[in-house]
Amino acid sequence: MAKVSEIYGSMVFNEHTMQERLPSATYKSLLKTIKEGEPLDIEVANVVAHAMKEWAIEKGATHYTHWFQPLSGITSEKHDSFLDPCGDGRAIMTFSGKELIQGEPDASSFPSGGLRATFEARGYTAWDPTSYAFIKDEVLCIPTAFCSYTGEALDKKTPLLRSMSAIDEQANRVLALFGEPRQRVVTTVGSEQEYFLISEKDYEKRQDLIMCGRTLFGYAPCKGQELEEHYFGAIRPTVNEFMKELDDELWKLGVSAKTKHNEVAPAQHELAPIFTNTNRAIDENLLTMEKMRLLASHYGLVCLQHEKPFEGINGSGKHNNWSISAGKKNLLDPGDSPMDNLRFLVFLTGVIQAVDDYQELLRMSVASAGNDHRLGANEAPPAIISMFLGDELGAIVDALIDEHEYTNAEKVAMDLGVAVLPNFLKDNTDRNRTSPFAFTGNKFEFRMPGSAVNLSDCNMILNTAMAKSLKDFADAMEGLEGEQFEAAAIAYIKETLTKHQRIIFNGNGYSDEWTEEAERRGLANHRTTADALPCFVSPKSIALFEEFGVLSAAEVASRYEVKLEKYNKLLNIEARTMKRMVRRAYLPALNDYAAEVAGNITAIKAACASADVSPQNALLQKLLAGIKEIDTQLNRLDEAHHAAIEIEDQQERANEYAHNVISVMDALRAAVDAMEIITDRDHWPVPTYNDMLFYV
Ligand code: ADP
Ligand code: MG
């Protein structure tokens, strides 16, 4: 095994490689683009493209691709070879600056939400130089944004990059008030990816896992997660081998996979990388997810990334750790001096305002059919957004709002009325796992995203909402200086915190009391995707996106439509898979088993006329009643499903699925699951939860 330091980033055209391979003027100019967002000159691009191609060929690459994130949320690539025939039977390998900067995939099959008619199907991809190019399976992958010819974004990355610019601009206005020079401000993300690994042999036998990524049937295993022995437990040897190869592959791609451990549920695991700037972090997360799926097959395993593969045990999330940094400074780090603290409080207040004002959008950004099974299910935060600040910071915020003196742990009184703010400690210790949006010392952890989601949407919204808070602050403060500025800033903070106090909640987010309390506070509670999506197209949301040039009204409408369609399509697939499995697998198996039990009764009676066959009879009756119940629920589902499909309007169809069809699916599942535990295991047509979750 090569040393980690030797393989780390070896497949990435990173700054080190750039410096090594590019003439110094080109390198400097490219760095300006990367660090300061300056546009890239075509001359420079030509030189970069040539160096990149030479480097890639040395590493064994034969093709290149513009790697992008369509609205469907997974990544897309179309491979072109570097090959250029010379006309004399030979060929050379070429790659121009134009090919690096721009591609033209025929993308008529990508969802666009009506933005683009098929006759103008071509879109173009444009290199995002702030994300490094890398080599994956002998293909040079160039991270790109994907747009239509009229300039509308057709991907997840473009609006994210626009939101990064918005926050850069507004944060710089705020930093200028603190006397700081213009610098590049970015948001940073570290995403913790949870997933399940199960055996390929079991997976192959489950239509529901193959078609829907989750089990639509299955009785709880004898042992669930109640012993909590799996969390941080010793990792199974096969899984360990998988994790090692995954680390190696990720390290080569410059993904700094840092921690790996078993999660709470049996067969569940987690991987967390070291954070980086948001757009790169999302590229890395998508690559990580892809590598996980691919490498699992090397070990006879399947990696399940669905938010809720198994009922009754935890589902999988993807915590989005988020902060804002200016150069090496973390702007959500309290800092040591009073002025640092004031700046910190300005940014903190900005986040609180952003999360309160745009709570519904944030909730919307993580809404999916899969995540609906997690949120509010006592394993993940509720569908209500609230913020947890921790004891110390919470006390400081309270003191600011009530204008009373803040007394810290050491009982040192601090005067909050003047410019000198408490020099408080980082609050790294308390953790409230039930909070959807928790301050964890120097960053916020957004815990609602599900394991399958592309984090671009929620970060695009967080960044834009934060840009709005910072803009409001800068608008109110520009022109003030020195003590005048400090006094005005403190007054502004107090006023804003008072206004948005309702979003702060330090208690147990899983409790029923919180749902009631949240309602009293006027916080939104959109339980299902169908309820959560409409706010995307509300005038308030569109105004926000348009104000910062992140999305136009047409782009918002198209994204809303794509999300709705995806939800409806997934539920359609789930309903169909359920019906098919019941008709073709469960009912035939149950009928066979009932016939066998009936045959046994006759055989026993024939052999011994006086035998007491009441237990066999009782079992037979239960099976027959179960079959009847399954049939009843199957017919109900058939009707409900067809009623949903007939609804033209996508939002109304989604409502129908969310509020009617799903409860019938649940009833059908319950009917089948009830039979699973009284049926002979050899007759049961699919692997059970016991089999799938407790393999060796
Ligand atoms: P926990 O399980 O307690 O939430 P982890 O160590 O699993 O903690 O995950 C913490 C994540 O937060 C890591 O991915 C880490 O890189 C990330 N993180 C740390 N600091 C920042 C920051 N300033 N901005 C964004 N993410 C951060
Ligand atoms: Mg976490």
Side-chain angles (χ1 to χ4, degrees), residues 187-193 231-232 256 258-261 263 270-278 319-325 330-333 431 433 440 442-445 447:
T187 54
T188 51
V189 161
S191 57
E192 303 160 47
Q193 178 72 44
Y231 192 54
F232 283 20
S256 48
K258 169 93 173 146
T259 52
K260 50 182 179 184
H261 59 78
E263 259 302 327
E270 178 185 300
L271 181 145
I274 295 173
F275 70 95
T276 177
N277 66 318
T278 303
H319 293 172
N320 187 75
N321 295 274
W322 176 88
S323 193
I324 312 171
S325 79
N330 177 352
L331 297 174
L332 290 177
D333 202 322
R431 295 288 177 98
R433 292 265 154 205
T440 50
N442 59 1
K443 62 185 175 351
F444 276 95
E445 184 168 350
R447 302 207 181 103

Side-chain angles (χ1 to χ4, degrees), residues 33-95:
T33 300
I34 295 172
K35 301 258 158 145
E36 289 158 40
E38 301 257 318
L40 192 69
D41 185 85
I42 182 74
E43 297 298 317
V44 176
N46 276 327
V47 181
V48 176
H50 178 76
M52 220 187 243
K53 179 203 71 185
E54 294 294 307
W55 168 81
I57 289 171
E58 278 169 36
K59 299 269 177 192
T62 52
H63 290 67
Y64 69 93
T65 185
H66 277 200
W67 190 72
F68 63 99
Q69 304 167 26
L71 296 183
S72 53
I74 34 178
T75 55
S76 297
E77 44 196 83
K78 180 193 104 188
H79 302 168
D80 279 304
S81 76
F82 292 123
L83 216 62
D84 191 2
C86 307
D88 60 359
R90 290 175 308 153
I92 51 166
M93 305 287 253
T94 63
F95 185 50

Side-chain angles (χ1 to χ4, degrees), residues 492-512:
Y492 184 98
I493 290 169
K494 283 183 185 174
E495 192 191 313
T496 311
L497 288 176
T498 310
K499 201 168 147 208
H500 297 286
Q501 211 172 348
R502 63 170 187 169
I503 198 77
I504 299 169
F505 175 64
N506 292 327
N508 178 6
Y510 293 176
S511 69
D512 293 336

Side-chain angles (χ1 to χ4, degrees), residues 283-303:
D283 287 351
E284 289 187 0
N285 176 250
L286 293 168
L287 267 177
T288 302
M289 292 172 76
E290 182 182 320
K291 282 285 169 203
M292 281 177 171
R293 290 191 301 266
L294 272 168
L295 297 180
S297 66
H298 295 181
Y299 302 90
L301 299 170
V302 173
C303 176

Side-chain angles (χ1 to χ4, degrees), residues 330-574:
N330 177 352
L331 297 174
L332 290 177
D333 202 322
D336 313 316
S337 73
M339 272 319 269
D340 282 353
N341 279 333
L342 181 58
R343 188 189 64 206
F344 165 73
L345 283 179
V346 169
F347 279 87
L348 176 79
T349 304
V351 182
I352 293 171
Q353 177 191 340
V355 173
D356 185 30
D357 274 343
Y358 297 100
Q359 48 177 286
E360 290 176 84
L361 264 184
L362 274 176
R363 159 68 183 106
M364 183 287 298
S365 71
V366 296
S368 70
N371 216 18
D372 283 358
H373 296 285
R374 263 181 87 236
L375 300 180
N378 282 351
E379 56 168 76
I384 308 161
I385 302 251
S386 67
M387 296 173 85
F388 169 80
L389 297 180
D391 288 345
E392 189 156 14
L393 192 53
I396 289 168
V397 166
D398 285 347
L400 280 164
I401 291 172
D402 303 343
E403 301 206 18
H404 67 68
E405 286 200 338
Y406 165 70
T407 318
N408 81 0
E410 283 91 44
K411 306 238 182 301
V412 182
M414 295 281 176
D415 183 0
L416 285 162
V418 298
V420 182
L421 282 160
N423 182 359
F424 50 81
L425 303 160
K426 272 199 277 182
D427 189 352
N428 233 332
T429 45
D430 340 31
R431 295 288 177 98
N432 180 341
R433 292 265 154 205
T434 67
S435 175
F437 210 99
F439 184 70
T440 50
N442 59 1
K443 62 185 175 351
F444 276 95
E445 184 168 350
F446 183 34
R447 302 207 181 103
M448 277 174 133
S451 50
V453 80
N454 178 328
L455 290 173
S456 295
D457 285 354
C458 70
N459 284 297
M460 176 262 291
I461 285 163
L462 258 176
N463 292 348
T464 313
M466 185 62 183
K468 167 90 179 141
S469 301
L470 297 173
K471 178 169 187 276
D472 288 351
F473 179 80
D475 286 349
M477 296 294 134
E478 271 167 1
L480 301 175
E481 276 176 26
E483 282 180 18
Q484 231 189 351
F485 162 65
E486 284 166 39
I490 292 171
Y492 184 98
I493 290 169
K494 283 183 185 174
E495 192 191 313
T496 311
L497 288 176
T498 310
K499 201 168 147 208
H500 297 286
Q501 211 172 348
R502 63 170 187 169
I503 198 77
I504 299 169
F505 175 64
N506 292 327
N508 178 6
Y510 293 176
S511 69
D512 293 336
E513 294 78 55
W514 169 232
T515 311
E516 291 159 24
E517 166 68 15
E519 199 179 330
R520 277 194 294 277
R521 293 189 188 189
L523 300 178
N525 183 5
H526 297 308
R527 286 169 197 278
T528 72
T529 300
D531 307 319
L533 293 183
C535 103
F536 202 0
V537 283
S538 72
K540 181 179 166 184
S541 307
I542 294 174
L544 174 74
F545 293 128
E546 287 194 325
E547 182 174 355
F548 294 94
V550 168
L551 288 171
S552 67
E555 287 170 329
V556 171
S558 77
R559 270 149 219 268
Y560 164 67
E561 208 171 295
V562 169
K563 280 181 192 282
L564 264 182
E565 273 186 14
K566 184 168 179 196
Y567 177 77
N568 288 336
K569 282 177 181 165
L570 281 175
L571 276 146
N572 179 47
I573 295 170
E574 289 196 350

Side-chain angles (χ1 to χ4, degrees), residues 68 104-113 116-123 146 154:
F68 63 99
E104 290 182 62
D106 172 7
S108 49
S109 321
F110 291 108
S112 75
R116 188 187 28 156
T118 31
F119 60 84
E120 48 185 32
R122 291 172 87 79
F146 178 38
L154 295 172

